[in-house]
């Protein structure tokens, strides 16, 4: 797998936005790195001039969103970013309440929030670097397209070529397995983002006066690397599962097909859960899988609606354009809302299974 090496060589790979591309964001993000979540700076004031209200209650999240509206980003990817920012907003506002109550004394939760924010920036090419990653959460390409380098990873590409030439999978099974391969590709990408973000954070902390000293600072550092190790274990486990399915095919007793649900179920079977808890969770996962599939359907409809809107705009019929634009805007809002609810449910399921509070989020 294409895991990146050499912390020194990666000092500028991911991290904060560039001065040219995102100056104000840099100031806010560096301030956050120094452990300064300023209420005056970060909490967005309601507009006083009668204009449309801001999208988010935290200023730096609005800045990311406003930039996303200016750049060329696919509708599906834009909707995904919106739901990720809503999750980040929820977590940050919860953290502010915790901080006010004197909790999170060692700064562990704050460090996780900063890391998650930088993951969002890198994931959507908002980190000031030219985005060569071209990561799309929902790959809607034709299945028959050339796929020799679909997953940007030699082991995944080799395994996939073996799958499509084996003749042992139905078209429906190929689609399900392809989603699993794409999900694993996303997790490799996310692992690299986390590694680079941690490295960048540590290098910045060397140059600032950190409020964390002694055991507290060491504890946060330990948690960061523990998170990274867990992600690596998850990657290894996920690849072994893909290799097993590729060789043996789907078993008749497979409980789930959606990759995120499969991962949750595997986690649950290894967790310290009673039979009743496991059975209850299985039922909840079935409902969650339905929710994920519904969200995927809306994403596909959003993409088609956008293509149709572009077509009618080219024809120039104003009435037709207006009707299609209204439909597209409504569908985009619905897709964002469903994306947020799905990701919040995923977060809740992770917490329920782990029993250890907020685990690393799926972005």
């Amino acid at each position: 797998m294409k895991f990146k090496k050499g912390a020194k060589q990666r000092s500028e790979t991911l991290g904060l936005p560039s001065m040219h591309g995102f100056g104000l964001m840099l100031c806010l993000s560096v301030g956050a790195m120094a452990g300064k979540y300023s209420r005056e700076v970060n909490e967005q004031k309601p507009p006083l001039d009668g204009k449309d209200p801001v999208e988010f209650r935290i200023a730096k999240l609005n800045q990311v969103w406003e930039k996303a509206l200016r750049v060329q980003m696919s509708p599906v990817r834009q909707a995904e970013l919106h739901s990720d920012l809503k999750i980040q907003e929820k977590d940050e506002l919860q953290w502010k309440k915790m901080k006010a109550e004197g909790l999170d004394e060692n700064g562990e939760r704050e460090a996780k929030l900063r890391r998650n924010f930088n993951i969002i920036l890198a994931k959507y090419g908002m980190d000031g670097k030219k985005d060569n990653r071209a990561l799309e959460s929902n790959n809607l390409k034709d299945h028959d397209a050339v796929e020799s380098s679909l997953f940007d990873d030699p082991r995944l590409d080799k395994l996939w070529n073996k799958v499509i030439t084996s003749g042992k999978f139905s078209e429906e099974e190929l689609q399900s397995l392809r989603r699993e391969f794409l999900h694993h590709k996303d997790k490799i990408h996310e692992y690299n983002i986390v590694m680079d973000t941690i490295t960048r954070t540590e290098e910045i902390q060397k140059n600032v006066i950190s409020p964390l000293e002694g055991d507290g600072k060491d504890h946060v550092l330990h948690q960061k690397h523990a998170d990274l190790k867990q992600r690596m274990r998850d990657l290894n486990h996920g690849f072994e599962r893909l290799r097993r399915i590729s060789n043996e095919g789907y078993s008749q007793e497979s409980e789930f097909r959606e990759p995120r649900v499969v991962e949750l179920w595997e986690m649950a079977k290894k967790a310290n859960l009673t039979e009743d808890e496991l059975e209850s969770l299985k039922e909840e996962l079935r409902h969650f899988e339905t929710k994920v599939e519904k969200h995927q359907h809306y994403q596909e409809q959003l993409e088609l609606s956008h293509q149709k809107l572009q077509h009618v705009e080219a024809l120039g019929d104003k009435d037709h354009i207006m009707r299609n634009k209204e439909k597209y805007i409504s569908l985009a809002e619905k897709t964002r809302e469903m994306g947020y609810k799905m990701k919040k449910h995923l977060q809740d399921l992770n917490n329920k299974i782990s029993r250890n509070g907020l685990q690393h989020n799926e972005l």
Side-chain angles (χ1 to χ4, degrees):
M1 295 185 187
K2 298 164 69 174
F3 301 128
K4 300 178 182 177
K5 302 177 181 178
K8 294 293 183 181
Q9 297 174 352
R10 296 191 313 272
S11 61
E12 296 182 0
T13 302
L14 295 174
L16 302 179
S18 68
M19 291 295 293
H20 296 293
F22 216 4
L24 184 55
M25 178 63 70
L26 174 61
C27 297
L28 289 170
S29 192
V30 169
M33 285 295 182
K36 298 178 181 178
Y37 270 79
S38 165
R39 175 172 298 181
E40 291 78 10
V41 173
N42 283 324
E43 288 195 0
Q44 189 77 41
K45 301 289 191 300
L48 300 176
D49 54 7
K51 294 182 180 179
D52 292 338
V54 293
E55 191 74 21
F56 300 96
R57 293 170 59 186
I58 298 176
K60 65 180 182 181
L61 303 184
N62 269 312
Q63 291 165 359
V64 175
W65 180 244
E66 287 166 4
K67 181 173 182 179
L69 296 177
R70 294 194 302 269
V71 302
Q72 293 295 323
M73 186 179 287
S74 73
V76 171
R77 191 165 172 79
Q78 192 179 88
E80 282 287 285
L81 171 62
H82 190 276
S83 60
D84 281 341
L85 291 174
K86 290 295 288 185
I87 291 290
Q88 181 75 12
E89 178 184 55
K90 174 184 69 70
D91 291 343
E92 291 209 18
L93 293 176
Q94 287 178 349
W95 174 82
K96 287 177 183 291
K97 291 181 181 179
M98 289 176 57
K99 191 72 172 177
E101 295 169 1
L103 303 176
D104 195 35
E105 292 183 359
N106 63 11
E108 179 182 335
R109 185 69 173 264
E110 181 182 6
K112 186 181 288 290
L113 286 170
R114 290 198 301 267
R115 191 160 68 252
N116 285 347
F117 177 62
N118 281 296
I119 288 172
I120 291 173
L121 296 182
K123 180 179 178 182
Y124 293 96
M126 299 283 187
D127 55 351
K129 294 181 65 64
K130 183 178 180 180
D131 188 12
N132 294 319
R133 295 172 290 267
L135 174 68
E136 289 287 350
S137 296
N138 295 276
N139 194 311
L140 301 179
K141 295 178 182 178
D142 183 12
H143 170 65
D144 294 326
V146 177
E147 299 184 338
S148 59
S149 60
L150 175 64
F151 306 107
D152 300 324
D153 180 271
R155 291 210 299 172
L156 285 180
D157 290 332
K158 182 178 180 180
L159 196 59
W160 179 248
N161 287 331
K162 181 179 178 180
V163 165
I164 60 178
T165 57
S166 68
K168 67 175 66 173
F169 296 94
S170 67
E171 185 62 26
E172 182 180 355
E173 288 174 331
L174 279 175
Q175 292 291 347
S176 295
L177 190 53
R178 186 171 183 271
R179 284 197 300 270
E180 292 205 45
F181 271 69
L182 287 169
H183 179 63
H184 192 80
K185 171 189 171 182
D186 291 354
K187 288 177 73 65
I188 293 174
H189 176 76
E190 186 177 319
Y191 173 88
N192 287 328
I193 291 174
V194 173
M195 177 183 288
D196 287 329
T197 303
I198 289 175
T199 301
R200 183 64 174 167
T201 302
E202 290 172 350
E203 291 180 354
I204 289 177
Q205 286 177 342
K206 291 177 184 177
N207 299 315
V208 299
I209 300 174
S210 174
L212 300 176
E213 298 295 342
D215 294 340
K217 189 173 182 179
D218 291 340
H219 176 71
V220 172
L221 185 60
H222 173 75
Q223 287 299 113
K224 290 177 182 178
H225 287 284
D227 175 48
L228 199 61
K229 288 179 181 178
Q230 182 59 50
R231 289 175 185 270
M232 174 60 81
R233 285 193 290 268
D234 291 345
L235 279 173
N236 290 335
H237 177 76
F239 184 78
E240 286 305 314
R241 182 178 185 278
L242 289 177
R243 184 157 57 184
R244 185 177 66 252
I245 294 175
S246 300
N247 290 330
E248 303 173 5
Y250 281 108
S251 62
Q252 294 297 318
E253 63 272 12
S254 295
E255 298 286 349
F256 305 102
R257 290 293 174 86
E258 160 56 36
R260 282 165 289 192
V261 183
V262 170
E263 283 187 349
L264 289 170
W265 181 237
E266 292 296 322
M267 285 172 56
K269 289 190 291 186
K270 295 176 182 177
N272 186 25
L273 299 175
T274 66
E275 287 296 324
D276 288 344
E277 288 174 329
L278 205 56
E279 192 60 35
S280 174
L281 184 63
K282 183 190 293 186
E283 186 63 28
E284 186 174 358
L285 287 175
R286 289 195 182 105
H287 289 299
F288 178 65
E289 187 168 51
T290 301
K291 185 182 293 186
V292 172
E293 291 169 351
K294 186 176 180 181
H295 179 236
Q296 290 172 345
H297 172 73
Y298 268 82
Q299 288 178 318
E300 292 170 359
Q301 293 304 307
L302 177 62
E303 183 66 31
L304 292 173
S305 176
H306 182 248
Q307 292 173 5
K308 185 175 181 181
L309 177 60
Q310 289 179 315
H311 176 69
V312 298
E313 283 176 339
L315 296 177
D317 185 334
K318 292 184 178 180
D319 290 338
H320 202 189
I321 290 173
M322 183 62 66
R323 288 195 300 272
N324 279 273
K325 195 167 188 177
E326 288 175 355
K327 181 179 179 181
Y328 169 72
I329 292 173
S330 175
L331 196 54
E333 290 176 350
K334 182 67 175 177
T335 305
R336 293 173 195 167
E337 179 186 353
M338 290 182 65
Y340 169 73
K341 290 180 178 178
M342 184 202 70
K343 291 186 178 187
K344 184 178 182 301
H345 195 176
L346 175 62
Q347 196 178 64
D348 293 341
L349 286 166
N350 264 303
N351 295 342
K352 180 182 291 188
I353 294 170
S354 68
R355 299 176 180 271
N356 290 317
L358 185 63
Q359 298 293 301
H360 60 264
N361 296 338
E362 292 289 336
L363 292 176

